[in-house]
Amino acid sequence: MNVNALRAIYLFEMSRWFRTLVGSLLSPVISTSLYFVVFGSAIGSRMTAIDGVSYAAFIVPGLTMLSVLTESIGNASFGIYMPKWSGTIYELLSAPVAWWEAVIAYVGAAASKSVLLGGVILLTARLFVPYHIAHPFWMAAFLILTALTFCLFGFIIGVWAEGWERLQIVPTLIITPLTFLGGSFYSISMLPPLWRKITLFNPVVYLVSGFRWSFYGVSDVGVSLSLGMTLGFMAVCLVVIWWIFKTGYKLKP
Amino acid sequence: MPPIISVRGVTKTYASGFQALKPIDLDIRRGEIFALLGPNGAGKSTLINIICGLVRASSGTVLADGYDIVRDYRVARSLIGLVPQEMATEGYETVWATMKFSRGVHGRGRDPAYLEKVLRDLSLWDKKDSPILALSGGMKRRVMIAKALSHQPRILFLDEPTAGVDVELRRDLWAMVRSLRDSGVTIILTTHYIEEAEEMADRVGVINRGELILVEDKAALMRDLGTRQLILTLAAPLSGLPADLAGEPLHFADDGLSLVYTFDPKAEGEGVEGLIRRLIDAGVAFTDIRSRESSLEEIFVGLVRAPA
């Protein structure tokens, strides 16, 4: 394994993030705080508890997931798209680096940022809501798995995108709606039966449900199913990335 | 001694169907400066990019110091440094950060002293903490060379290193390339400029339309390319050459209104001065004199048109 290359890519990516740390952290923290103020305090105070959990506490896992998903895709897609766009990717492609080493380094850096951000958001939420975490291990596991999976997905988008506009299309048109409709702000048991069934095709439902279970021990779908779906999506992303490097898709003519 | 780069039967056909390289066989000798010449779109960059791992060959093999660039890519690529044609830098990063990245990504451990030496040699040391974005075009070109040298490669590819750089930087780069060669690094450079090949190269390869049509020692090639023409516009058409000038490399052009003298400026003999004196002595009147040298394009056309 080319450990020096892994370290170089990882540190390079992290230093880019630290250089813009205030913007990278402040923006999601402010928007999440606004969600808590509006949905948690203002509207939430008029809503009844869901599964015995106050509404303000109920939305904590969903809101954290919302930020982690968005940031994971954004960080990872930008991380690989930027050298493609600037042309500096020649250096990576001509270096003695295996494809999986490049993926570990880029996705690892992007996921590190997302997990750190998730932690900061949870700390921020604590200022608004006295939530508790029933299964800390599983909370961390779901957080890390989700970050890794969606960073892999972001990596694919970054390779696929041929312009800044395309880079935004998938997160804006697909991921954000799926996240909002994935039970971040409600339990899917509150939906009419038909919509409940349709919602089960949304992979974000499983992520949010599993993550919420790790907090409060209650979930919309089984925890094993949540875990299985997350791992399944991760496997699909890995296969697509393996294919990208095998064929040189949009990287090597 | 085996060649440091050995290219055998390498072809490249892009997905569009365009055949960029017909079967190429080429050996690069250890420690030489090899100049790959060719017009735009000839296949120079495709060949270099295949050797460096940026483009996948459709067929054929490439060995770098005996290591297959696909099967043994880790060793092969660690031996190679590349300065691509297009300017590509991480604008917001500092020179030092990007150097550390380049060294690390090629699998080398930290060595600040070596990186400092490279930056000093390229007059970049005082810019090490500057964002690349703030540097001039020439400085950015130096940064790209510094990055390519950061992992101490044994083979350095320079793809059009002096395209668009000023005369001073071009001279600096030539001096740097020579000093690298003296330290044992093999250099392969592509260029449009005959002058550059003449100044630098030990051997020259000419590539056109995906075919390597010539590989020759520079001295021999320059003998062929180094011809000049002196064109005299005659005051009146001549029916034939004066007897005194028979046997000289002279021919008529423009329906007998011009007399063209092809000569080698480095050759010994009476040269242009002697010819003009003899023309005047023979009573040949002319109204204008101009000289021209063969352009690289003309030489390519000549090479391509020449029967195999």
Side-chain angles (χ1 to χ4, degrees):
Chain A
M1 185 186 272
N2 190 341
V3 179
N4 285 323
L6 273 171
R7 188 174 56 206
I9 297 170
Y10 184 88
L11 292 178
F12 195 76
E13 285 297 299
M14 291 306 283
S15 78
R16 184 160 54 76
W17 191 62
F18 283 122
R19 205 173 49 231
T20 55
L21 191 63
V22 175
S24 304
L25 280 182
L26 208 58
S27 164
V29 165
I30 287 177
S31 57
T32 309
S33 301
L34 290 173
Y35 277 122
F36 281 119
V37 170
V38 175
F39 291 105
S41 305
I43 298 176
S45 60
R46 291 165 183 263
M47 292 182 74
T48 54
I50 303 171
D51 296 328
V53 181
S54 76
Y55 186 70
F58 180 84
I59 63 172
V60 169
L63 279 178
T64 309
M65 273 294 168
L66 181 76
S67 290
V68 168
L69 283 184
T70 313
E71 287 298 312
S72 294
I73 292 174
N75 284 332
S77 60
F78 186 82
I80 193 67
Y81 178 74
M82 187 67 183
K84 255 183 67 186
W85 174 78
S86 68
T88 54
I89 197 157
Y90 81 87
E91 206 164 22
L92 175 72
L93 297 177
S94 64
V97 180
W99 69 269
W100 50 270
E101 289 168 341
V103 172
I104 287 174
Y106 277 104
V107 168
S112 300
K113 300 170 199 173
S114 298
V115 170
L116 282 171
L117 178 78
V120 170
I121 286 178
L122 285 175
L123 288 175
T124 310
R126 204 73 177 82
L127 301 175
F128 297 89
V129 190
Y131 64 83
H132 68 279
I133 301 170
H135 308 286
F137 171 80
W138 285 109
M139 189 279 287
F142 268 109
L143 186 66
I144 293 168
L145 267 182
T146 304
L148 283 173
T149 303
F150 279 81
C151 284
L152 288 168
F153 186 57
F155 189 88
I156 295 168
I157 294 171
V159 172
W160 167 76
E162 284 170 353
W164 293 101
E165 195 187 346
R166 265 197 174 189
L167 203 63
Q168 297 300 328
I169 282 178
V170 175
T172 309
L173 297 185
I174 300 175
I175 299 303
T176 305
L178 284 181
T179 312
F180 273 86
L181 300 173
S184 296
F185 299 102
Y186 55 84
S187 165
I188 62 169
S189 61
M190 296 159 76
L191 296 172
L194 177 64
W195 281 105
R196 202 181 306 161
K197 278 192 178 142
I198 293 173
T199 298
L200 291 176
F201 287 99
N202 179 356
V204 178
V205 165
Y206 301 91
L207 302 174
V208 172
S209 175
F211 197 49
R212 188 174 289 136
W213 168 84
S214 71
F215 279 71
Y216 308 123
V218 291
S219 60
D220 288 331
V221 292
V223 178
S224 309
L225 187 59
S226 289
L227 195 61
M229 290 295 279
T230 311
L231 290 171
F233 189 46
M234 180 188 256
V236 170
C237 290
L238 283 170
V239 169
V240 172
I241 289 174
W242 168 80
W243 175 83
I244 283 173
F245 281 95
K246 186 175 184 290
T247 59
Y249 174 77
K250 299 214 175 177
L251 288 177
K252 279 190 189 187
Chain B
M1 193 177 280
I4 195 151
I5 295 275
S6 176
V7 179
R8 287 291 170 272
V10 165
T11 66
K12 178 64 188 177
T13 304
Y14 286 103
S16 62
F18 172 68
Q19 188 175 18
L21 289 181
K22 291 162 188 168
I24 300 275
D25 291 308
L26 174 65
D27 284 337
I28 307 291
R29 295 172 189 159
R30 217 166 277 269
E32 73 174 340
I33 298 178
F34 185 89
L36 193 57
L37 308 179
N40 289 328
K44 305 185 297 284
S45 294
T46 299
L47 180 58
I48 282 188
N49 288 343
I50 285 174
I51 298 172
C52 293
L54 299 180
V55 171
R56 294 173 306 146
S58 300
S59 63
T61 57
V62 179
L63 301 181
D65 204 11
Y67 296 98
D68 188 293
I69 58 152
V70 177
R71 206 176 48 243
D72 309 314
Y73 71 96
R74 284 197 195 267
V75 187
R77 290 185 190 175
S78 67
L79 297 169
I80 295 174
L82 168 67
V83 183
Q85 188 173 344
E86 300 294 331
M87 191 83 89
T89 53
E90 298 93 350
Y92 295 102
E93 299 295 335
T94 64
V95 173
W96 187 249
T98 194
M99 287 289 284
K100 281 199 302 182
F101 173 79
S102 298
R103 185 174 171 86
V105 85
H106 280 87
R108 291 283 195 152
R110 289 174 185 155
D111 189 347
Y114 173 74
L115 294 185
E116 179 178 341
K117 181 184 178 305
V118 172
L119 290 180
R120 284 192 187 281
D121 288 350
L122 285 159
S123 309
L124 283 170
W125 180 242
D126 58 335
K127 303 283 182 193
K128 77 181 175 73
D129 296 320
S130 303
I132 298 172
L133 208 61
L135 303 180
S136 67
M139 285 286 183
K140 284 179 188 156
R141 181 72 67 176
R142 284 174 206 251
V143 170
M144 290 186 69
I145 294 168
K147 280 161 69 68
L149 294 173
S150 65
H151 63 285
Q152 294 156 284
R154 305 310 301 152
I155 308 160
L156 181 65
F157 284 89
L158 298 162
D159 197 357
E160 300 280 356
T162 55
V165 306
D166 61 33
V167 176
E168 190 186 358
L169 177 56
R170 185 174 298 175
R171 296 278 165 192
D172 285 355
L173 290 179
W174 289 352
M176 183 209 72
V177 167
R178 271 194 214 94
S179 115
L180 282 170
R181 193 262 308 269
D182 292 344
S183 70
V185 177
T186 304
I187 316 258
I188 298 101
L189 62 91
T190 72
T191 181
H192 280 90
Y193 307 120
I194 277 285
E195 184 198 5
E196 191 156 86
E198 186 168 3
E199 179 81 23
M200 308 283 301
D202 299 310
R203 283 197 310 148
V204 173
V206 177
I207 192 167
N208 193 31
R209 293 178 192 167
E211 277 184 284
L212 192 61
I213 50 182
L214 181 94
V215 176
E216 210 169 331
D217 282 339
K218 179 187 72 179
L221 189 62
M222 288 304 131
R223 214 167 35 237
D224 298 337
L225 301 186
T227 56
R228 300 277 196 284
Q229 287 185 324
L230 187 76
I231 300 150
L232 297 110
T233 305
L234 301 171
L238 293 178
S239 55
L241 281 176
D244 189 36
L245 294 165
E248 292 291 339
L250 284 162
H251 68 270
F252 288 106
D254 301 331
D255 294 328
L257 281 169
S258 297
L259 189 60
V260 180
Y261 175 56
T262 305
F263 66 102
D264 180 352
K266 297 184 198 105
E268 290 184 3
E270 62 178 9
V272 172
E273 187 188 344
L275 176 86
I276 290 174
R277 194 180 302 122
R278 287 161 68 195
L279 281 168
I280 292 169
D281 291 347
V284 176
F286 42 90
T287 58
D288 186 32
I289 298 178
R290 60 198 166 91
S291 73
R292 64 188 289 272
E293 58 183 341
S294 309
S295 73
L296 193 56
E297 291 296 328
E298 283 175 324
I299 291 154
F300 286 146
V301 170
L303 284 166
V304 171
R305 284 187 183 161

